Amino acid sequence: MTHPHPLHGVRVAILVENGFEQVEMTRPRDALHAAGATTTLVSPSTPTVHGWNGDEKNDEVKVDVGIADARPLDFDALLLPGGVWSADMLRANNKAVLFVHAMQIARKPIAAICHAAWIQIGRAHV
């Protein structure tokens, strides 16, 4: 018999910065919750970040854990929502890059949507 919530007990970090694409965070997060996972919004910006809908500022969302306090060992997987501004700021943030790199080294699943994959390539040369 399969569990009604196949991701029950799975802890997923969602790494964002101001300028993330709102729907690329909320829809996957809702699907993770429906499957039984627990999510934690992680960001260099605290206590809140702003999502965007295309070119328009959208909702302000509460950050659960600042990147300085986030520990890759506390998570089973990572979700990287897209958004050009968020992706650009994250790949230029050493702590965010190191967090993602630690998840890669630990071979934990990483879901990167659209521009979010930039951080997996490495630090921006800015």
Side-chain angles (χ1 to χ4, degrees):
M1 183 168 151
T2 61
H3 194 285
H5 301 286
L7 296 182
H8 177 76
V10 174
R11 301 159 303 164
V12 181
I14 302 174
L15 180 60
V16 296
E17 180 55 281
N18 284 302
F20 68 92
E21 190 64 34
Q22 185 102 17
V23 71
E24 293 179 12
M25 187 278 286
T26 57
R27 291 234 176 124
R29 182 189 62 189
D30 292 348
L32 287 164
H33 289 172
T38 301
T39 62
T40 302
L41 198 68
V42 178
S43 179
S45 295
T46 58
T48 61
V49 287
H50 272 99
W52 286 72
N53 181 14
D55 293 341
E56 296 181 23
K57 192 180 260 189
N58 209 347
D59 295 337
E60 186 175 53
V61 181
K62 182 185 175 297
V63 172
D64 297 312
V65 178
I67 192 66
D69 297 320
R71 295 172 13 110
L73 292 174
D74 293 342
F75 302 101
D76 303 306
L78 175 62
L79 169 62
L80 299 167
V84 175
W85 297 291
S86 177
D88 239 4
M89 287 191 285
L90 287 173
R91 71 185 180 135
N93 181 294
N94 194 48
K95 288 183 176 157
V97 171
L98 290 173
F99 183 84
V100 173
H101 185 66
M103 297 292 281
Q104 291 171 319
I105 294 297
R107 296 182 175 262
K108 295 184 181 184
I110 299 173
I113 301 171
C114 202
H115 291 89
W118 288 348
I119 194 168
Q120 294 176 290
I121 297 166
R123 188 170 173 86
H125 300 285
V126 290

PDB file of all heavy atoms in Angstrom, residues 58-72:
ATOM      1  N   ASN A  58       4.721  41.606  -7.007  1.00  0.00           N
ATOM      2  CA  ASN A  58       3.584  40.845  -6.516  1.00  0.00           C
ATOM      3  C   ASN A  58       3.632  40.789  -4.995  1.00  0.00           C
ATOM      4  O   ASN A  58       3.987  41.777  -4.368  1.00  0.00           O
ATOM      5  CB  ASN A  58       3.604  39.445  -7.145  1.00  0.00           C
ATOM      6  CG  ASN A  58       2.236  38.830  -7.299  1.00  0.00           C
ATOM      7  OD1 ASN A  58       1.257  39.300  -6.752  1.00  0.00           O
ATOM      8  ND2 ASN A  58       2.168  37.752  -8.052  1.00  0.00           N
ATOM      9  N   ASP A  59       3.356  39.659  -4.424  1.00  0.00           N
ATOM     10  CA  ASP A  59       3.231  39.537  -2.971  1.00  0.00           C
ATOM     11  C   ASP A  59       4.562  39.590  -2.236  1.00  0.00           C
ATOM     12  O   ASP A  59       5.598  39.175  -2.745  1.00  0.00           O
ATOM     13  CB  ASP A  59       2.549  38.210  -2.615  1.00  0.00           C
ATOM     14  CG  ASP A  59       1.122  38.149  -3.112  1.00  0.00           C
ATOM     15  OD1 ASP A  59       0.521  39.215  -3.335  1.00  0.00           O
ATOM     16  OD2 ASP A  59       0.614  37.030  -3.297  1.00  0.00           O
ATOM     17  N   GLU A  60       4.473  40.050  -0.998  1.00  0.00           N
ATOM     18  CA  GLU A  60       5.586  39.987  -0.069  1.00  0.00           C
ATOM     19  C   GLU A  60       5.414  38.688   0.717  1.00  0.00           C
ATOM     20  O   GLU A  60       4.320  38.368   1.166  1.00  0.00           O
ATOM     21  CB  GLU A  60       5.528  41.200   0.870  1.00  0.00           C
ATOM     22  CG  GLU A  60       6.698  41.314   1.788  1.00  0.00           C
ATOM     23  CD  GLU A  60       6.628  42.600   2.602  1.00  0.00           C
ATOM     24  OE1 GLU A  60       5.585  42.842   3.246  1.00  0.00           O
ATOM     25  OE2 GLU A  60       7.615  43.342   2.595  1.00  0.00           O
ATOM     26  N   VAL A  61       6.506  37.924   0.851  1.00  0.00           N
ATOM     27  CA  VAL A  61       6.440  36.611   1.494  1.00  0.00           C
ATOM     28  C   VAL A  61       7.435  36.572   2.649  1.00  0.00           C
ATOM     29  O   VAL A  61       8.568  37.046   2.521  1.00  0.00           O
ATOM     30  CB  VAL A  61       6.768  35.499   0.465  1.00  0.00           C
ATOM     31  CG1 VAL A  61       6.686  34.129   1.095  1.00  0.00           C
ATOM     32  CG2 VAL A  61       5.855  35.595  -0.746  1.00  0.00           C
ATOM     33  N   LYS A  62       7.022  35.974   3.754  1.00  0.00           N
ATOM     34  CA  LYS A  62       7.883  35.865   4.936  1.00  0.00           C
ATOM     35  C   LYS A  62       8.976  34.823   4.698  1.00  0.00           C
ATOM     36  O   LYS A  62       8.717  33.724   4.240  1.00  0.00           O
ATOM     37  CB  LYS A  62       7.053  35.464   6.154  1.00  0.00           C
ATOM     38  CG  LYS A  62       7.864  35.366   7.433  1.00  0.00           C
ATOM     39  CD  LYS A  62       7.000  34.836   8.574  1.00  0.00           C
ATOM     40  CE  LYS A  62       7.804  34.618   9.826  1.00  0.00           C
ATOM     41  NZ  LYS A  62       8.855  33.614   9.697  1.00  0.00           N
ATOM     42  N   VAL A  63      10.200  35.190   5.032  1.00  0.00           N
ATOM     43  CA  VAL A  63      11.344  34.279   4.951  1.00  0.00           C
ATOM     44  C   VAL A  63      11.392  33.492   6.259  1.00  0.00           C
ATOM     45  O   VAL A  63      11.292  34.064   7.337  1.00  0.00           O
ATOM     46  CB  VAL A  63      12.651  35.075   4.738  1.00  0.00           C
ATOM     47  CG1 VAL A  63      13.869  34.170   4.848  1.00  0.00           C
ATOM     48  CG2 VAL A  63      12.617  35.794   3.395  1.00  0.00           C
ATOM     49  N   ASP A  64      11.560  32.180   6.153  1.00  0.00           N
ATOM     50  CA  ASP A  64      11.626  31.335   7.344  1.00  0.00           C
ATOM     51  C   ASP A  64      13.024  31.315   7.962  1.00  0.00           C
ATOM     52  O   ASP A  64      13.172  31.308   9.183  1.00  0.00           O
ATOM     53  CB  ASP A  64      11.207  29.902   7.007  1.00  0.00           C
ATOM     54  CG  ASP A  64       9.768  29.818   6.532  1.00  0.00           C
ATOM     55  OD1 ASP A  64       8.879  30.395   7.199  1.00  0.00           O
ATOM     56  OD2 ASP A  64       9.525  29.177   5.489  1.00  0.00           O
ATOM     57  N   VAL A  65      14.052  31.273   7.091  1.00  0.00           N
ATOM     58  CA  VAL A  65      15.434  31.168   7.561  1.00  0.00           C
ATOM     59  C   VAL A  65      16.324  32.024   6.672  1.00  0.00           C
ATOM     60  O   VAL A  65      16.279  31.903   5.440  1.00  0.00           O
ATOM     61  CB  VAL A  65      15.932  29.703   7.520  1.00  0.00           C
ATOM     62  CG1 VAL A  65      17.388  29.606   7.956  1.00  0.00           C
ATOM     63  CG2 VAL A  65      15.069  28.806   8.381  1.00  0.00           C
ATOM     64  N   GLY A  66      17.137  32.859   7.283  1.00  0.00           N
ATOM     65  CA  GLY A  66      18.118  33.628   6.526  1.00  0.00           C
ATOM     66  C   GLY A  66      19.216  32.701   6.026  1.00  0.00           C
ATOM     67  O   GLY A  66      19.530  31.686   6.671  1.00  0.00           O
ATOM     68  N   ILE A  67      19.810  33.021   4.898  1.00  0.00           N
ATOM     69  CA  ILE A  67      20.831  32.155   4.301  1.00  0.00           C
ATOM     70  C   ILE A  67      22.002  31.928   5.260  1.00  0.00           C
ATOM     71  O   ILE A  67      22.599  30.846   5.277  1.00  0.00           O
ATOM     72  CB  ILE A  67      21.315  32.696   2.933  1.00  0.00           C
ATOM     73  CG1 ILE A  67      22.145  31.642   2.184  1.00  0.00           C
ATOM     74  CG2 ILE A  67      22.107  33.970   3.080  1.00  0.00           C
ATOM     75  CD1 ILE A  67      21.387  30.427   1.762  1.00  0.00           C
ATOM     76  N   ALA A  68      22.330  32.902   6.085  1.00  0.00           N
ATOM     77  CA  ALA A  68      23.442  32.754   7.031  1.00  0.00           C
ATOM     78  C   ALA A  68      23.171  31.664   8.066  1.00  0.00           C
ATOM     79  O   ALA A  68      24.105  31.075   8.609  1.00  0.00           O
ATOM     80  CB  ALA A  68      23.729  34.079   7.723  1.00  0.00           C
ATOM     81  N   ASP A  69      21.904  31.397   8.334  1.00  0.00           N
ATOM     82  CA  ASP A  69      21.525  30.390   9.329  1.00  0.00           C
ATOM     83  C   ASP A  69      21.054  29.078   8.716  1.00  0.00           C
ATOM     84  O   ASP A  69      20.750  28.128   9.448  1.00  0.00           O
ATOM     85  CB  ASP A  69      20.424  30.944  10.235  1.00  0.00           C
ATOM     86  CG  ASP A  69      20.887  32.154  11.023  1.00  0.00           C
ATOM     87  OD1 ASP A  69      22.049  32.150  11.488  1.00  0.00           O
ATOM     88  OD2 ASP A  69      20.097  33.113  11.154  1.00  0.00           O
ATOM     89  N   ALA A  70      20.962  29.010   7.411  1.00  0.00           N
ATOM     90  CA  ALA A  70      20.474  27.797   6.738  1.00  0.00           C
ATOM     91  C   ALA A  70      21.577  26.740   6.688  1.00  0.00           C
ATOM     92  O   ALA A  70      22.714  27.037   6.339  1.00  0.00           O
ATOM     93  CB  ALA A  70      20.004  28.133   5.324  1.00  0.00           C
ATOM     94  N   ARG A  71      21.235  25.528   7.049  1.00  0.00           N
ATOM     95  CA  ARG A  71      22.186  24.417   7.043  1.00  0.00           C
ATOM     96  C   ARG A  71      21.730  23.363   6.045  1.00  0.00           C
ATOM     97  O   ARG A  71      20.648  22.773   6.220  1.00  0.00           O
ATOM     98  CB  ARG A  71      22.277  23.800   8.435  1.00  0.00           C
ATOM     99  CG  ARG A  71      22.848  24.728   9.487  1.00  0.00           C
ATOM    100  CD  ARG A  71      22.747  24.157  10.899  1.00  0.00           C
ATOM    101  NE  ARG A  71      22.414  22.746  10.974  1.00  0.00           N
ATOM    102  CZ  ARG A  71      23.265  21.794  11.376  1.00  0.00           C
ATOM    103  NH1 ARG A  71      24.476  22.103  11.746  1.00  0.00           N
ATOM    104  NH2 ARG A  71      22.863  20.530  11.422  1.00  0.00           N
ATOM    105  N   PRO A  72      22.512  23.107   5.016  1.00  0.00           N
ATOM    106  CA  PRO A  72      22.128  22.102   4.021  1.00  0.00           C
ATOM    107  C   PRO A  72      21.783  20.740   4.631  1.00  0.00           C
ATOM    108  O   PRO A  72      20.913  20.035   4.129  1.00  0.00           O
ATOM    109  CB  PRO A  72      23.351  22.008   3.115  1.00  0.00           C
ATOM    110  CG  PRO A  72      23.983  23.355   3.229  1.00  0.00           C
ATOM    111  CD  PRO A  72      23.767  23.769   4.656  1.00  0.00           C
TER     112      PRO A  72
END
